[in-house]
Amino acid sequence: GPREEHPGPPVAMAGEDQGASPEAKVKTKEPPAETMDDLAMETKRTALLDRLESQLKKGPSFTTRLLFAFNVSDDRKVQRAIDQEFTDWRKTTAGAQAVNGILIYTQSVALHLLEGPTEMLFNALALFHSVSAEVRKAPEVQPGTTPRPNEKGELPALLSGLRVLHFTELHGVSVVKSWCSLVHPGRPTGNQMPIEEANCHELVFSCYKKVLCLCLKVQKLLDGEADPDSSLNKTYKKAADELPSVDEVLVLVSRSSAEYFFTFPEFEKVFMAPFQLALHSELLWPMPPALSY
């Protein structure tokens, strides 16, 4: 009968791997690569406040300047009492020796430039506010009498109407040596420039610049002195031609200028008190959730 043919074992073709399993011959399908949107990924951004903080912490020592003015009686006893309050504060407060400046009395107004660490200037400003009529409610000192506590033990006010005129930070050069007070030798002439919102910053900066020039001239005159502190007041008197005029100072503390400058509570709220700052950019970043395609 017909001969049956039985299929034999499969013959491997040339070039084929005889030891490969059938599963290995099936190609696996790789998942598609996931693409992330860079704009949707959370990244650390550098803010301006971070840069300023790094300058303060890691950079060279910087100094801050504060210029303020207040009303004060044209009485040397009251002025000496203010000087004594501040001198005692510098001696007894830790770190207060780093605060230097010049206090200029011009009849019924005083102009005070301070230079030193920011926090210490804040404390010094708070000290002057603490002896003002806004804090001390005892009757004012009578002209010609030494300020003393009344029968209730309350101290009389030594000044009033404190106004912060100029505040500036991150200066690498110090212009003031030690601290002292000076009575302005000039007299008002009545030629005051009217102060308005449009020119108040120019009047303040002009006065600030003249006080800086005065301090730089005193530094130059004291260069090489063995004991500069002992002759500091006399040196300021020698350089008195650099002082701003009495009219320039009076106009900054006049009634018409009160609305243009910070009072102590206003300055404290903006610069000294703790605050919570939320930038609009931080409220919108990062974009939630991270997008993937």
Side-chain angles (χ1 to χ4, degrees), residues 226-243:
D227 186 12
D229 287 354
S230 61
S231 57
L232 188 61
N233 191 273
K234 293 180 180 179
T235 309
Y236 270 108
K237 290 180 179 179
K238 290 180 182 178
D241 55 324
E242 299 287 344
L243 283 166

Side-chain angles (χ1 to χ4, degrees), residues 55-94:
Q55 287 183 355
L56 290 172
K57 289 183 176 180
K58 300 179 182 179
S61 59
F62 292 100
T63 189
T64 300
R65 298 187 191 122
L66 177 67
L67 182 69
F68 62 96
F70 51 84
N71 296 313
V72 62
S73 173
D74 188 13
D75 187 340
R76 281 303 294 157
K77 290 186 176 181
V78 176
Q79 295 169 1
R80 289 192 189 100
I82 295 175
D83 293 351
Q84 192 62 47
E85 288 274 359
F86 188 67
T87 303
D88 292 343
W89 176 82
R90 290 183 79 236
K91 290 180 179 178
T92 58
T93 305

Side-chain angles (χ1 to χ4, degrees), residues 102-106 111 181-186 206-215 217-218 235-249:
I102 175 68
L103 175 56
I104 305 167
Y105 293 105
T106 60
L111 185 70
S181 65
L182 172 70
V183 178
H184 200 300
S206 174
C207 194
Y208 167 74
K209 182 180 178 181
K210 289 183 179 181
V211 177
L212 288 187
C213 292
L214 167 70
C215 296
K217 186 173 182 179
V218 168
T235 309
Y236 270 108
K237 290 180 179 179
K238 290 180 182 178
D241 55 324
E242 299 287 344
L243 283 166
S245 68
V246 176
D247 294 301
E248 288 179 291
V249 179

Side-chain angles (χ1 to χ4, degrees), residues 58-253:
K58 300 179 182 179
S61 59
F62 292 100
T63 189
T64 300
R65 298 187 191 122
L66 177 67
L67 182 69
F68 62 96
F70 51 84
N71 296 313
V72 62
S73 173
D74 188 13
D75 187 340
R76 281 303 294 157
K77 290 186 176 181
V78 176
Q79 295 169 1
R80 289 192 189 100
I82 295 175
D83 293 351
Q84 192 62 47
E85 288 274 359
F86 188 67
T87 303
D88 292 343
W89 176 82
R90 290 183 79 236
K91 290 180 179 178
T92 58
T93 305
Q97 285 293 325
V99 177
N100 300 318
I102 175 68
L103 175 56
I104 305 167
Y105 293 105
T106 60
Q107 292 193 338
S108 60
V109 170
L111 185 70
H112 201 182
L113 174 69
L114 290 178
E115 186 179 68
T118 303
E119 294 299 327
M120 295 309 301
L121 294 194
F122 289 163
N123 294 339
L125 186 65
L127 170 73
F128 278 85
H129 176 67
S130 68
V131 300
S132 67
E134 288 76 16
V135 176
R136 293 184 176 180
K137 302 302 181 182
E140 294 184 5
V141 182
Q142 296 297 323
T145 61
T146 303
R148 290 189 177 89
N150 59 15
E151 60 276 3
K152 297 181 180 180
E154 298 172 333
L155 293 170
L158 301 177
L159 56 98
S160 63
L162 189 150
R163 292 287 186 277
V164 178
L165 306 178
H166 192 63
F167 175 67
T168 174
E169 299 180 278
L170 296 177
H171 292 280
V173 179
S174 177
V175 300
V176 189
K177 280 187 175 292
S178 191
W179 183 89
C180 75
S181 65
L182 172 70
V183 178
H184 200 300
R187 290 288 181 269
T189 62
N191 297 326
Q192 294 182 8
M193 180 179 293
I195 187 168
E196 301 171 349
E197 187 176 0
N199 69 346
C200 64
H201 64 285
E202 296 176 356
L203 297 178
V204 167
F205 192 79
S206 174
C207 194
Y208 167 74
K209 182 180 178 181
K210 289 183 179 181
V211 177
L212 288 187
C213 292
L214 167 70
C215 296
L216 288 172
K217 186 173 182 179
V218 168
Q219 271 198 356
K220 186 176 181 180
L221 293 174
L222 290 174
D223 190 26
E225 289 275 346
D227 186 12
D229 287 354
S230 61
S231 57
L232 188 61
N233 191 273
K234 293 180 180 179
T235 309
Y236 270 108
K237 290 180 179 179
K238 290 180 182 178
D241 55 324
E242 299 287 344
L243 283 166
S245 68
V246 176
D247 294 301
E248 288 179 291
V249 179
L250 288 176
V251 71
L252 297 178
V253 198

Side-chain angles (χ1 to χ4, degrees), residues 7-13:
V11 180
M13 300 296 291

